[in-house]
Amino acid sequence: MAGLHAFNVRFHLGGRNWPTNPYGLQGEGSVSLEPDFVIIGGRNHSSFRLPKWAEHRLRMVDIVNVRTEGPDLRFDLLGVKGNMTVGFTLADGAEARRLAALLPTRQTEQFALAHAEREAFHDRIDYWSPSTPVIWGLLALNIGIYFLMWLARRGPRGISLQTMPGWGWSSPVDAMIRSYQLAHWGANVGPLTLSGEWWRLVTSMFLHGSLLHIAFNMLALWQVGTLVERIFGSMRFVALYMIAGVCGSLASVLWNPQVNSVGASGAIFGILGGLLAFIRRENSGVPPTIVKELRASALPFLLFNLTAGFLYPHTDNAAHLGGLVGGFLAGHLLARSLHMPEHRPA
């Protein structure tokens, strides 16, 4: 393909985190630049026929809002069947930035504002909380306790767990044996908790009944908690997590006094509640663009998981709702302003 500059790229058909294109291009392709045009070429997968090579000539004057994220590059096309976004992946971040430098620098007013607000938000959380030690500590603690419970179930003379029915890394645990061990380790067992063993409201937050249980919870904790810890700060985040978790455990045992409940999900719902409380406050330091994006991510997650909790009988939705409400209330009390000192409004 002729052109002043040529780049090898990879196109993607879809996915929330992938740079997509409206032409049905997928796989290896190329981008070539001419003085007035950008020519993108790749294999078209938009029909049931065999993929075939296709090229599209895009006018430079229609290209706006060029941005890169690592090796990914995206730009918008104005006035072409409405506004469209074209994206693809280059070899690395340096190559993406090199191509971006050759494309038009024009930005729409809306994009420029959103971009500035994102930059300001990341500058603020970098200033206040550049790392997330609590999240890594919680992950290590939860996984470590699960591993210790796994070791405690080893048979005499170190018999492999795979030879013991019901207790493998991926096998379901026998319900009765599992309940007994979880109760021994501090599960939120209703009759015991309500009889004065209130410490179970805390210990149950760090226990999990199966490999899938802890895997899903730790993934959610990592995905949600890393940002929330940076927004609240590590010490406030610890308080938010513990308050939300205890509220979830308390709601669980009050809703069902015969419950035998474990898991971090009440605390995880609580940190989402704390996030929603934080971003609704005036002078929070979270720009409107980020508020909109966070709500758009958090609300569907909550709606899906709460709905699923009502559909699946073994899900402790009382703990989810209790953690969510507790985290929301605690979030109001623990929230701080993210404005940096030199930018703090009068």
Side-chain angles (χ1 to χ4, degrees):
M1 180 183 297
L4 296 177
H5 302 275
F7 298 82
N8 294 321
V9 302
R10 173 171 286 276
F11 295 103
H12 310 276
L13 275 183
R16 179 179 177 183
N17 296 319
W18 295 102
T20 59
N21 68 91
Y23 307 113
L25 303 180
Q26 185 179 18
E28 299 296 330
S30 61
V31 173
S32 181
L33 275 62
E34 297 179 352
D36 298 317
F37 292 92
V38 173
I39 305 170
I40 65 172
R43 298 201 175 275
N44 189 301
H45 291 251
S46 61
S47 69
F48 291 103
R49 294 174 295 181
L50 290 175
K52 62 180 181 179
W53 186 268
E55 291 186 355
H56 300 271
R57 295 174 63 86
L58 313 177
R59 299 193 310 169
M60 285 282 192
V61 295
D62 295 329
I63 295 176
V64 296
N65 304 336
V66 177
R67 62 268 193 196
T68 63
E69 184 177 351
D72 298 334
L73 185 146
R74 296 175 176 86
F75 56 80
D76 299 326
L77 292 174
L78 296 183
V80 182
K81 297 180 181 179
N83 298 337
M84 299 190 304
T85 299
V86 178
F88 41 80
T89 301
L90 289 99
D92 51 38
E95 190 79 345
R97 292 189 295 272
R98 187 166 77 88
L99 174 53
L102 299 172
L103 295 174
T105 58
R106 288 192 305 134
Q107 296 181 343
T108 61
E109 182 178 352
Q110 181 180 10
F111 176 86
L113 176 61
H115 180 72
E117 289 185 344
R118 291 189 189 96
E119 290 292 320
F121 175 69
H122 287 291
D123 287 345
R124 290 167 186 174
I125 60 175
D126 285 343
Y127 176 83
W128 290 110
S129 300
S131 61
T132 55
V134 174
I135 280 296
W136 293 109
L138 288 172
L139 292 173
L141 181 60
N142 280 275
I143 295 171
I145 291 174
Y146 184 82
F147 182 70
L148 290 175
M149 291 184 67
W150 178 75
L151 290 178
R153 289 294 302 273
R154 293 184 68 87
R157 300 181 183 178
I159 296 175
S160 171
L161 294 178
Q162 297 301 328
T163 68
M164 299 178 64
W167 189 268
W169 284 108
S170 59
S171 301
V173 185
D174 175 80
M176 184 174 64
I177 299 176
R178 179 184 61 185
S179 296
Y180 176 81
Q181 187 192 32
L182 290 172
H184 178 72
W185 280 67
N188 186 18
V189 181
L192 298 178
T193 303
L194 296 174
S195 296
E197 298 183 8
W198 297 106
W199 47 269
R200 293 180 177 272
L201 297 176
V202 175
T203 54
S204 60
M205 297 163 48
F206 301 97
L207 303 177
H208 292 83
S210 70
L211 180 61
L212 285 178
H213 188 199
I214 191 171
F216 282 122
N217 273 359
M218 294 304 98
L219 177 62
L221 176 60
W222 178 73
Q223 290 179 328
V224 176
T226 48
L227 177 62
V228 178
E229 180 179 350
R230 298 188 71 190
I231 287 176
F232 276 89
S234 295
M235 296 307 297
R236 295 168 188 258
F237 179 76
V238 170
L240 174 65
Y241 187 89
M242 296 302 297
I243 292 171
V246 169
C247 286
S249 297
L250 187 60
S252 177
V253 76
L254 292 178
W255 178 261
N256 180 9
Q258 301 303 314
V259 73
N260 184 355
S261 179
V262 294
S265 55
I268 294 168
F269 272 79
I271 60 179
L272 269 174
L275 174 64
L276 293 175
F278 192 106
I279 62 178
R280 74 184 297 270
R281 295 175 61 253
E282 294 184 6
N283 195 33
S284 67
V286 182
T289 296
I290 303 300
V291 170
K292 183 178 179 181
E293 292 175 351
L294 291 177
R295 282 178 178 162
S297 298
L299 293 177
F301 174 87
L302 290 173
L303 181 62
F304 173 81
N305 283 280
L306 289 174
T307 302
F310 286 112
L311 296 177
Y312 293 99
H314 297 295
T315 303
D316 190 356
N317 237 12
H320 296 169
L321 290 169
L324 179 64
V325 173
F328 186 81
L329 296 175
H332 278 288
L333 298 175
L334 296 169
R336 61 179 179 176
S337 174
L338 291 179
H339 289 288
M340 292 185 285
E342 63 271 24
H343 297 136
R344 191 180 300 275

